[in-house]
Amino acid sequence: MRQIIIGIGGVTNGGKTTLANKVYEHIPNTFIISQDKYFKDESLVAVDSSGFKQYDVIDALDMDSMMLDIESWRKDPRSFLKINELKNPPNFKDSTEVRDDVYILIIEGFLLFNYNTRVYVPPDPPGYFDGHVWPMYVKNRKEMEATGSALIYLDGTKMRDELFSIVHEEIMIEIQKLAGKTLEND
């Protein structure tokens, strides 16, 4: 069994869920872990000196729970999917053959595609995005770049379908690489 883990990261409300769901619809054996599902109770989220709840910091998330779920998937993706009673959509839109022994995990959170269209109801307080969300995104991005991980940057000015095509192609390349490794090891 081969595994591919994809991280989609960036600023809040940038399209991460849309992209992750589109990949999920097109590629079998895919599971999404969304960071948004791991926010701590509102009473546990710190407030800054301006009165803003600090949701865009790592301390606002129950990362231990998220990491337990990721580790559970890594140990046995097949069982993880069964335990969570999750099934892939019955009719995948992608005609590409994907091996039954390749499983894909998408971990998504804080993605930036076009922060200018950020809209919440009720709206954010004045200055929240510029004063907190964007600086935290820049700080977190720099930390990720410093790890030396293979990162692929997406241009948020491109259309969603074009962004999906780029991501889809990269995933299919990784699946083919894994298939080659499997054939060499057989």
Side-chain angles (χ1 to χ4, degrees):
M1 176 180 338
R2 302 294 177 177
Q3 300 174 352
I4 297 173
I5 298 177
I6 299 165
I8 300 176
V11 74
T12 316
N13 197 37
K16 64 189 180 292
T17 302
T18 301
L19 180 59
N21 286 333
K22 190 133 182 170
V23 170
Y24 174 82
E25 291 173 3
H26 284 75
I27 301 177
N29 301 329
T30 298
F31 185 76
I32 300 169
I33 291 182
S34 175
Q35 206 174 34
D36 288 348
K37 294 190 177 172
Y38 297 91
F39 277 110
K40 293 177 181 173
D41 183 85
E42 185 177 338
S43 66
L44 300 174
V45 177
V47 177
D48 72 4
S49 60
S50 299
F52 296 134
K53 287 277 190 181
Q54 301 297 291
Y55 287 107
D56 290 286
V57 297
I58 201 75
D59 290 340
L61 298 162
D62 183 353
M63 291 303 293
D64 290 337
S65 291
M66 185 172 145
M67 294 309 295
L68 285 172
D69 286 346
I70 292 168
E71 188 56 33
S72 178
W73 181 90
R74 288 184 71 199
K75 285 181 182 175
D76 188 352
R78 244 181 254 143
S79 294
F80 185 86
L81 293 173
K82 287 178 185 174
I83 290 169
N84 288 287
E85 299 179 325
L86 297 168
K87 296 182 176 151
N88 289 306
N91 297 314
F92 290 102
K93 297 174 181 173
D94 190 349
S95 61
T96 306
E97 278 295 317
V98 177
R99 293 174 55 122
D100 288 338
D101 66 341
V102 175
Y103 288 82
I104 299 168
L105 176 62
I106 299 171
I107 306 165
E108 54 100 347
F110 307 108
L111 177 68
L112 171 65
F113 280 141
N114 185 345
Y115 67 90
N116 291 324
T117 60
R118 177 183 161 88
V119 176
Y120 284 113
V121 177
D124 287 336
Y128 183 67
F129 184 87
D130 293 333
H132 178 71
V133 174
W134 184 255
M136 289 307 299
Y137 163 72
V138 171
K139 175 186 174 283
N140 292 330
R141 178 177 164 168
K142 285 179 182 177
E143 288 176 6
M144 190 64 185
E145 288 170 339
T147 68
S149 299
L151 303 174
I152 298 172
Y153 294 100
L154 300 174
D155 179 350
T157 63
K158 293 184 178 183
M159 301 300 292
R160 286 181 181 173
D161 288 342
E162 188 176 352
L163 292 170
F164 167 72
S165 293
I166 293 166
V167 171
H168 183 262
E169 183 178 333
E170 290 293 330
I171 293 168
M172 297 312 292
I173 289 168
E174 289 301 315
I175 289 172
Q176 292 304 316
K177 286 180 187 176
L178 286 176
K181 286 182 184 177
T182 301
L183 292 174
E184 292 171 10
N185 296 334
D186 291 342

